[in-house]
Amino acid sequence: MIFYFSGTGNSRWAAQTLAESLGDSAKSILEGKAPDLTGEARVGLVFPIYAWGVPEPMLDFVKTLPKTDGFTFGLCTCGADAGHAMKKLSKIFHLDSSYSLVMPNNYVVGSELDSPEEVRGKLAAAKKSLDTIAGEISRRERVYRVKEGKLAFLKSNFINKGFNGFARSTKPFSVTDRCVGCGQCAALCPTKTITMADGKPRWGDKCYQCLACINRCPQRAIEYGEETKVRGRYTIEQYL
Ligand SMILES: Cc1cc2nc3c(=O)[nH]c(=O)nc-3n(C[C@H](O)[C@H](O)[C@H](O)COP(=O)(O)O)c2cc1C
Ligand code: SF4
Ligand code: SF4
């Protein structure tokens, strides 16, 4: 079984692509309660990197997992590099193998996104990497292939703490006149912090910064501060 968390689809696609190659199933961690792993030949965890760390919902999920005799692996998707996220995760849940997969960047809050050419290039390279990874997993080879990047310790400890402490505010979210009140942002928010009031979304406090709301709004009606007004939006579905 391969469990995934995903904001804009990269990690879901990676999990489903691996599951297809391995003849396994991919399941969102937001579906239901902690699973029974009895008889599972393998357990995989697939998720995006947030500030060189593992997203809070994946950390919470992993803490509920029972011990397993199956082959275990983790695969993070990231725009560039993952720091020590996989090493830190494997201290909570034993991982036989760890991988990072460079995918299109969805962090529109922090910088401009990849160009369409860059996105296509990254997706083609990722598909090839997943073929290799599926082969290694099916042979139960133990592999650590993670692009950690520079200053990995610093980023995965101090900067990640700063992100979780200060950068997950919902206060900068706003909605423009383009909003048609479809309610999609509220429906897909994994923390259910978005509610609809008078036909417009309102943000509560609990936010993972998955950026599904801002990237997935079909009207491009959500902003985060000023900078996102001049930036693109990303979801993998635009490219599949
Ligand atoms: C809050 C946040 C922080 C991010 N931090 C990093 C990072 O530290 N390093 C990196 O390479 N990519 C980073 N990214 C980019 C994502 O990890 C990457 O685009 C990922 O594939 C998105 O996966 P998803 O589509 O499954 O949500 C960040 C994205 C978000 C939303
Ligand atoms: S998804 Fe976009 S258009 Fe739909 S309610 Fe949310 S902000 Fe408005
Ligand atoms: S408010 Fe937006 S960014 Fe925050 S958890 Fe919900 S969908 Fe993700």
Side-chain angles (χ1 to χ4, degrees):
M1 181 66 75
I2 300 173
F3 299 102
Y4 68 85
F5 174 73
S6 183
T8 55
N10 287 349
S11 310
R12 187 194 63 234
W13 173 80
Q16 288 173 342
T17 304
L18 274 181
E20 207 172 295
S21 301
L22 291 164
D24 208 323
S25 318
K27 194 174 176 187
S28 164
I29 62 168
L30 303 175
E31 277 173 35
K33 50 186 172 67
D36 178 8
L37 300 182
T38 316
E40 290 291 345
R42 71 177 73 87
V43 177
L45 304 168
V46 181
F47 53 87
I49 285 293
Y50 292 169
W52 302 280
V54 180
E56 181 188 322
M58 183 51 88
L59 283 175
D60 289 347
F61 174 78
V62 158
K63 287 175 192 157
T64 69
L65 281 179
K67 282 219 158 64
T68 172
D69 295 331
F71 183 83
T72 55
F73 71 92
L75 180 143
C76 63
T77 71
C78 56
D81 46 48
H84 283 172
M86 302 310 286
K87 284 180 178 157
K88 292 185 89 174
L89 178 62
S90 68
K91 287 186 182 150
I92 304 172
F93 183 77
H94 170 78
L95 295 172
D96 290 314
S97 285
S98 296
Y99 296 98
S100 65
L101 188 70
V102 174
M103 292 285 285
N105 178 28
N106 69 351
Y107 194 44
V108 60
V109 159
S111 62
E112 180 52 290
L113 301 179
D114 298 323
S115 69
E117 292 70 34
E118 285 169 319
V119 169
R120 287 191 196 97
K122 280 183 168 184
L123 290 177
K127 180 78 185 73
K128 273 193 195 155
S129 299
L130 285 173
D131 288 345
T132 306
I133 292 169
E136 289 165 345
I137 292 171
S138 68
R139 296 188 293 275
R140 299 171 73 97
E141 289 173 22
R142 289 174 181 233
V143 176
Y144 182 86
R145 195 159 62 243
V146 176
K147 199 174 159 208
E148 294 184 349
K150 286 182 185 155
L151 305 173
F153 178 84
L154 184 89
K155 287 170 170 171
S156 296
N157 287 284
F158 302 106
I159 299 183
N160 182 260
K161 263 204 187 103
F163 166 75
N164 284 312
F166 305 107
R168 286 168 49 181
S169 171
T170 56
K171 286 202 176 77
F173 277 118
S174 63
V175 67
T176 69
D177 290 346
R178 285 191 295 268
C179 172
V180 293
C182 69
Q184 189 174 300
C185 49
L188 54 76
C189 172
T191 65
K192 299 288 166 224
T193 205
I194 304 176
T195 48
M196 297 299 290
D198 300 328
K200 300 277 183 250
R202 242 187 230 164
W203 281 262
D205 291 335
K206 190 175 164 72
C207 178
Y208 297 142
Q209 284 275 300
C210 73
L211 302 189
C213 54
I214 184 167
N215 277 304
R216 288 191 180 283
C217 169
Q219 300 299 321
R220 207 195 166 288
I222 299 176
E223 304 292 352
Y224 193 88
E226 290 297 310
E227 287 84 355
T228 58
K229 290 181 180 168
V230 292
R231 292 180 186 155
R233 298 292 187 267
Y234 173 76
T235 66
I236 198 169
E237 289 81 9
Q238 299 165 249
Y239 293 91
L240 291 181

